[in-house]
């Protein structure tokens, strides 16, 4: 089986015999039930392949769709003039790059339709309207416009260069205003991207496109569902199970925990990350493929301004307007985190029309928290190797080595990162530091600030052989921490558990920035 990893061209996938998850029935439905659309999906989720599929469909390349679902639905196969704008592959951090890209597109189109350039009199938007009119008149059919990653010129400079960000926003706004002036010449328009900038909208120059990002009809338009996995990939999953020495059902569950969990409507249909899943099936190994394929630098830049801790964002219910529409405020990164794919919908409350947001799967949770910890704490210790050492130590039940690992990691954090003049802020810093550390090592079951009947324990870690109960004090003593564990009865629920139980009391020193006292019983 050939996997189309990194291949975004529909024709190449079909002609070269790569596996293709057939979603052409949704393509047919999309093109026959509306006109102007916007679709937001995380990066590497199949948006570019969707655009390529639409392009070949509207160009009437019937032979490419033979045997697919749309082959039984489409009878006419009309040929339309198609205008494909792709902002992938360009670095828009330099002034003038966006204008140059648009100029190249419009100039080529003018040449193709025999138009004389009027660059000295009209902007690219005005010239594009004339191109669309000419295409309509010469072909006898209205034009199709497909814009892939429409938001990249803004994301590249977001929170880096405010002036260039505003300039790009205005250039795009003027360009997209074409769709209002040329409405009579348009058959179909689709814009794809990661984010939806609605408050300072680049779309305000024309009629708002229909946002299908959370439309239940199109929730599986990109990505791979469980039903599609079971239908297309039973053999590679069985082969992976043989390599991992487990049953196929257990292998499916491992893949699900690692790559599944995305939901794009209140119907909560499970959608897998296609990039990671296909890489795993191809290599027969479970790794963090999606997260290693690129760093969301724009998101980290936004989070540096954020005044709250990430643990205060996850596992909570939100109204749609709180996370769907991007608000141009760096102190509110939730919509950007959600739209970029680092949080997803986990539940829907119909009575209140609210959505529970949390990490979609283990790959995203572990990768994002590791990256966030490195950015927030800036430790001198290499994070990945340190996490592996902690996991092995927890597996062995070696509490003294665990103390050494925690002490060395905290000691490697620069003084400038932990310096907090206010006592409340110092305590908050150490709480968040501990939260990030424990979430990073959550290959095991980890409960952070777990609520019990008599209080809230700082952390519980469960492994197959051991249970660790942690209580930390800032500038206190380990004995005081252990006393709280006993007085509050944090270990009571594990009284009949056959695993070895460790109660660990420790103190953070705000002066040294590391473990001041540690005691285990």
């Amino acid at each position: 089986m050939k996997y189309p990893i990194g291949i975004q061209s529909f024709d190449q996938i079909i002609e070269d015999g790569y596996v293709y998850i057939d979603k052409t029935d949704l393509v047919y439905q999309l093109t026959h039930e509306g006109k102007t659309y916007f679709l937001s999906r995380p990066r590497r989720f199949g948006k570019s392949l969707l655009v390529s599929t639409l392009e070949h469909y509207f160009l009437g390349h019937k032979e490419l769709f033979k045997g697919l679902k749309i082959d039984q639905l489409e009878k006419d196969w009309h040929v339309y003039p198609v205008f494909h704008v792709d902002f992938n592959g360009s670095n828009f951090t330099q002034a003038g790059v966006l204008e140059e890209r648009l100029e190249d597109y419009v100039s080529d189109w003018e040449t193709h339709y025999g138009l004389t350039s009027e660059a000295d009199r009209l902007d690219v938007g005005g010239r594009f309207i004339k191109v669309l009119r000419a295409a309509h008149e010469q072909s006898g059919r209205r034009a199709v416009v497909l814009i892939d990653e429409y938001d990249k010129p803004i994301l590249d400079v977001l929170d880096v260069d405010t002036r260039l960000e505003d300039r790009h926003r205005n250039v795009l706004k003027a360009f997209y205003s074409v769709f209002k002036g040329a409405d009579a010449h348009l058959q179909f328009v689709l814009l794809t991207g990661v984010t939806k900038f609605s408050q300072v909208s680049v779309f305000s120059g024309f009629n708002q496109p229909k946002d299908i990002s959370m439309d239940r009809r199109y929730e599986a338009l990109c990505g791979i569902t469980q039903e599609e996995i079971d239908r297309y990939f039973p053999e590679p999953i069985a082969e992976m199970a043989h390599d991992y020495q487990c049953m196929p059902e257990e292998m499916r569950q491992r893949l699900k925990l690692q790559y599944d969990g995305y939901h794009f409507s209140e119907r909560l249909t499970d959608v897998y990350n296609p990039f990671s899943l296909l890489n795993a099936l191809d290599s027969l190994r479970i790794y963090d493929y999606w997260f290693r394929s690129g760093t969301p630098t724009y998101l980290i830049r936004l989070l540096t301004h954020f005044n709250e801790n990430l643990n205060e964002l996850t596992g909570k219910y939100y109204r749609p307007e709180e996370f769907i529409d991007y608000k141009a405020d760096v102190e509110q990164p939730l919509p950007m985190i959600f739209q970029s794919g680092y949080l997803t919908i986990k539940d829907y409350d119909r009575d209140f029309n609210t959505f529970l947001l949390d990490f979609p799967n283990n790959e995203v949770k572990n990768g994002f928290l590791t990256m966030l910890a490195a950015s927030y704490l800036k430790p001198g210790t290499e994070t990945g190797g340190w996490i592996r050492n902690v996991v092995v130590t927890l597996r062995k039940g070696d509490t003294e080595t665990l103390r050494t690992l925690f002490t060395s990691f905290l000691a490697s954090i620069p003084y400038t990162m932990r310096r907090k003049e206010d006592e409340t802020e110092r305590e908050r810093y150490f709480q968040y530091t501990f939260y990030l550390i424990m979430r990073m090592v959550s290959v095991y079951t980890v409960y952070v600030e777990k609520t019990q009947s008599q209080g809230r324990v700082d952390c519980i870690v469960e492994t197959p052989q051991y249970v660790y109960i942690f209580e930390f004090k800032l500038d206190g003593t380990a004995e005081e921490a252990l006393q709280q564990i006993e007085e509050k009865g944090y270990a009571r629920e594990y009284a009949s558990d056959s695993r070895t139980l460790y109660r660990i009391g420790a103190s953070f020193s705000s002066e040294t920035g590391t473990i001041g006292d540690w005691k285990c019983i």
Side-chain angles (χ1 to χ4, degrees):
M1 185 175 287
K2 295 172 63 176
Y3 299 94
I5 299 169
I7 300 176
Q8 302 169 346
S9 300
F10 174 73
D11 55 331
Q12 184 178 355
I13 290 175
I14 298 300
E15 291 173 346
D16 292 352
Y18 289 94
V19 62
Y20 176 71
I21 308 298
D22 188 1
K23 298 178 184 289
T24 55
D25 55 332
L26 294 177
V27 168
Y28 182 85
Q29 181 178 331
L30 186 72
T31 56
H32 285 73
E33 294 187 359
K35 176 175 179 177
T36 306
Y37 295 100
F38 168 74
L39 175 66
S40 169
R41 285 293 183 269
R43 61 185 176 84
R44 296 188 179 275
F45 230 85
K47 299 188 298 294
S48 296
L49 176 57
L50 171 64
V51 169
S52 177
T53 305
L54 285 163
E55 180 175 14
H56 286 284
Y57 167 67
F58 278 113
L59 288 173
H61 295 164
K62 180 180 180 180
E63 67 283 359
L64 293 176
F65 296 87
K66 186 176 181 180
L68 299 180
K69 295 175 183 177
I70 202 171
D71 193 25
Q72 302 298 316
L73 299 171
E74 183 59 76
K75 305 302 179 184
D76 298 323
W77 293 99
H78 295 308
V79 178
Y80 296 88
V82 177
F83 299 88
H84 181 183
V85 178
D86 186 358
F87 287 126
N88 284 297
S90 291
N91 182 354
F92 294 101
T93 58
Q94 298 296 318
V97 173
L98 174 59
E99 291 89 335
E100 183 179 337
R101 284 293 305 275
L102 293 176
E103 173 64 31
D104 288 344
Y105 275 121
V106 173
S107 294
D108 289 345
W109 295 332
E110 286 173 332
T111 300
H112 180 79
Y113 287 100
L115 299 176
T116 302
S117 175
E118 298 185 46
D120 57 335
R121 192 175 66 86
L122 297 174
D123 60 16
V124 289
R127 292 159 59 196
F128 189 22
I129 290 177
K130 298 191 69 173
V131 168
L132 294 172
R133 182 187 303 119
H136 187 187
E137 292 172 350
Q138 293 179 28
S139 69
R141 299 200 179 276
R142 291 185 291 270
V144 172
V145 179
L146 306 171
I147 299 182
D148 198 10
E149 303 293 357
Y150 90 98
D151 51 353
K152 191 175 187 297
I154 298 175
L155 291 179
D156 277 2
V157 294
L158 190 65
D159 198 44
V160 173
D161 189 331
T162 303
R163 293 178 60 184
L164 191 55
E165 179 187 340
D166 290 340
R167 177 174 170 179
H168 285 176
R169 201 182 301 270
N170 289 330
V171 169
L172 292 175
K173 186 176 178 179
F175 183 70
Y176 297 146
S177 67
V178 165
F179 303 135
K180 185 175 183 179
D183 184 69
H185 306 296
L186 293 171
Q187 175 70 24
F188 183 87
V189 176
L190 174 67
L191 299 97
T192 75
V194 172
T195 56
K196 181 184 178 184
F197 295 91
S198 65
Q199 292 290 318
V200 185
S201 180
V202 297
F203 297 146
S204 60
F206 72 105
N207 296 330
Q208 287 286 323
K210 179 176 178 56
D211 185 358
I212 58 171
S213 304
M214 289 185 64
D215 190 318
R216 59 190 300 168
R217 295 171 296 177
Y218 303 110
E219 58 185 352
L221 185 58
C222 297
I224 303 175
T225 66
Q226 186 66 56
E227 184 274 331
E228 289 167 337
I229 290 174
D230 295 339
R231 175 152 46 99
Y232 285 91
F233 305 117
E235 293 180 4
I237 290 177
E239 189 175 355
M240 285 189 75
H242 180 267
D243 282 3
Y244 276 84
Q245 298 182 345
C246 65
M247 298 300 292
E249 183 56 38
E250 182 183 342
M251 196 70 245
R252 281 194 290 270
Q253 186 61 25
R254 290 190 184 189
L255 290 169
K256 188 176 187 67
L257 290 173
Q258 188 74 4
Y259 306 126
D260 191 17
Y262 284 96
H263 304 112
F264 297 109
S265 83
E266 69 275 12
R267 188 159 57 182
L268 300 177
T269 297
D270 284 342
V271 178
Y272 284 70
N273 182 316
F275 181 79
S276 288
L277 180 66
L278 293 177
N279 268 283
L281 295 175
D282 181 49
S283 64
L284 302 179
R285 286 292 178 270
I286 292 179
Y287 292 125
D288 295 340
Y289 299 101
W290 180 74
F291 212 89
R292 294 179 182 179
S293 68
T295 302
T297 54
Y298 62 86
L299 191 54
I300 290 297
R301 292 197 300 266
L302 288 184
L303 288 174
T304 60
H305 301 279
F306 188 46
N307 294 323
E308 304 298 329
N309 296 340
L310 187 65
N311 57 317
E312 296 167 2
L313 284 180
T314 56
K316 292 173 58 178
Y317 282 85
Y318 295 92
R319 298 187 306 276
E321 60 269 21
E322 294 182 90
F323 67 92
I324 293 176
D325 295 340
Y326 173 72
K327 300 174 178 61
D329 184 347
V330 293
E331 294 185 357
Q332 298 188 52
L334 178 63
M336 188 72 81
I337 298 173
F338 169 76
Q339 294 168 13
S340 300
Y342 302 101
L343 294 179
T344 194
I345 297 166
K346 287 298 182 181
D347 192 21
Y348 176 61
D349 189 324
R350 292 185 179 277
D351 293 335
F352 295 97
N353 190 33
T354 56
F355 295 84
L356 175 67
L357 300 187
D358 212 331
F359 295 107
N361 51 49
N362 287 341
E363 177 188 25
V364 174
K365 179 182 68 175
N366 296 334
F368 185 73
L369 288 171
T370 300
M371 179 187 64
L372 186 62
S375 175
Y376 180 77
L377 303 173
K378 293 183 170 54
T381 301
E382 194 277 312
T383 309
W386 181 85
I387 293 171
R388 288 190 292 274
N389 289 336
V390 171
V391 170
V392 170
T393 302
L394 288 168
R395 183 189 303 159
K396 293 179 178 179
D398 186 351
T399 59
E400 278 306 307
T401 300
L402 191 63
R403 172 184 183 169
T404 302
L405 287 169
F406 271 103
T407 302
S408 63
F409 183 86
L410 290 166
S412 73
I413 298 172
Y415 172 72
T416 52
M417 295 305 299
R418 61 180 172 82
R419 184 179 179 182
K420 306 291 180 183
E421 302 298 336
D422 180 78
E423 182 178 351
T424 302
E425 283 301 307
R426 284 200 301 272
E427 184 172 359
R428 188 168 177 270
Y429 165 79
F430 281 109
Q431 286 175 344
Y432 192 38
T433 297
F434 178 68
Y435 164 80
L436 288 174
I437 289 173
M438 298 315 298
R439 288 302 296 260
M440 284 194 299
V441 300
S442 57
V443 63
Y444 298 122
T445 301
V446 177
Y447 303 100
V448 179
E449 296 186 345
K450 183 180 182 182
T451 301
Q452 294 185 335
S453 60
Q454 297 188 54
R456 189 166 61 180
V457 60
D458 282 343
C459 180
I460 297 176
V461 179
E462 298 180 3
T463 77
Q465 288 80 35
Y466 302 96
V467 176
Y468 302 85
I469 299 178
F470 293 91
E471 187 66 31
F472 286 88
K473 295 294 182 183
L474 176 61
D475 295 326
T477 68
E479 193 61 46
E480 290 173 341
L482 284 175
Q483 185 177 348
Q484 181 171 329
I485 292 175
E486 294 304 316
E487 290 179 351
K488 298 291 187 179
Y490 293 154
R492 197 169 297 151
E493 67 176 274
Y494 296 97
S496 60
D497 199 301
S498 61
R499 291 173 290 186
T500 301
L501 177 65
Y502 287 117
R503 303 167 181 83
I504 299 174
S507 68
F508 285 127
S509 169
S510 60
E511 182 178 350
T512 64
T514 188
I515 300 294
D517 192 15
W518 176 285
K519 189 173 181 180
C520 175
I521 59 174

